[in-house]
Amino acid sequence: MSEKTPVDLWFDPFCPFAWVTSRWLLEVEKVRPIEPRWHIMSLNVLNEGKDVPEAYREQIVRAIGPVRVVAAAAAKYGDHVVGPLYTELGTRFHNQRAIRRLGDLRDTVQDALAAAGLDTALADAMDSTEHDEAVRRSHDEGIGLVGQEVGTPVIRVGDNAFFGPVITSIPRGEDAGRMWDGVLLVTGFDEFFELKRSRTSEPRFD
């Protein structure tokens, strides 16, 4: 059996595009010898000092709470809980649309913690700055690989790091593997920087 290649992904739980990419990576794991490893970054930190619409600013200010909770969980239990907790948070935020209900964010985070088998009191970290240094350290590690002009998700495979891919649905089976092969191929060239077109559909999580 082939040795698995570590693949690091940086995410903010609030980002729907990071969520789709992360679920794609889990599909890739089924058909290619990779081992996903999960790291936090922060849309709030990313947009510090930037001129962004007020509605978006309000959203990313809220987004720091769940990121802090993931950092707190990693500090208490170890990095191995980050992926399972992200799955529980992302399922609720995106698949179940809880992210759209402004009043129950803490309840949703507590529910995700419980489902991941973690202490629900870690939700207190949402309103604490105790883990902000760890959040910023992880964020800076990820964004430092690709530059300040991009965001989440960031993926690293060995010395090869890139933003994205930004996709709006989750490829399954060998389609997931073929996309992985292509992304890995083109991003492996030092001279390759960008391939882009306007999005014409919203993210789907089915």
Side-chain angles (χ1 to χ4, degrees):
M1 185 174 180
S2 301
E3 183 178 350
K4 290 191 174 184
T5 300
V7 177
D8 297 286
L9 183 143
W10 280 261
F11 66 91
D12 184 309
F14 259 40
C15 179
F17 295 104
W19 177 243
V20 175
T21 300
S22 73
R23 300 309 95 179
W24 162 69
L25 203 60
L26 292 179
E27 291 294 314
V28 175
E29 185 183 20
K30 298 174 183 177
V31 295
R32 297 293 185 271
I34 69 166
E35 178 188 358
R37 303 189 299 194
W38 311 98
H39 310 270
I40 49 174
M41 61 186 300
S42 168
L43 291 169
N44 192 43
V45 173
L46 180 69
N47 287 280
E48 284 178 339
K50 295 182 180 178
D51 184 18
V52 299
E54 188 58 32
Y56 182 64
R57 175 71 64 190
E58 291 175 1
Q59 184 180 36
I60 61 177
V61 166
R62 293 177 64 236
I64 191 65
V67 177
R68 288 168 168 167
V69 170
V70 177
K76 180 170 183 174
Y77 295 100
D79 290 340
H80 67 280
V81 305
V82 173
L85 180 54
Y86 179 32
T87 290
E88 299 299 340
L89 288 168
T91 298
R92 286 158 179 77
F93 288 167
H94 304 297
N95 296 66
Q96 299 172 8
R97 305 291 183 178
I99 201 170
R100 298 176 183 272
R101 300 193 292 274
L102 301 181
D104 63 355
L105 181 58
R106 182 185 176 89
D107 290 343
T108 301
V109 169
Q110 286 181 314
D111 186 50
L113 286 163
L118 308 177
D119 184 0
T120 58
L122 289 170
D124 291 342
M126 292 177 65
D127 302 312
S128 169
T129 60
E130 179 182 355
H131 298 282
D132 281 8
E133 183 178 345
V135 170
R136 190 173 294 273
R137 184 167 57 248
S138 180
H139 174 92
D140 288 346
E141 180 185 9
I143 206 69
L145 297 170
V146 293
Q148 295 291 334
E149 296 80 15
V150 295
T152 175
V154 170
I155 290 178
R156 175 176 63 193
V157 188
D159 295 331
N160 185 14
F162 49 90
F163 162 64
V166 176
I167 51 179
T168 57
S169 64
I170 306 164
R172 308 286 182 180
E174 186 57 23
D175 283 346
R178 288 175 56 242
M179 180 179 286
W180 173 254
D181 295 341
V183 169
L184 207 58
L185 176 63
V186 297
T187 58
F189 288 87
D190 290 340
E191 299 80 9
F192 179 86
F193 290 98
E194 189 169 351
L195 183 70
K196 189 173 182 179
R197 59 181 174 180
S198 297
R199 292 193 301 269
T200 57
S201 62
E202 293 299 312
R204 302 198 316 273
F205 315 116
D206 54 303

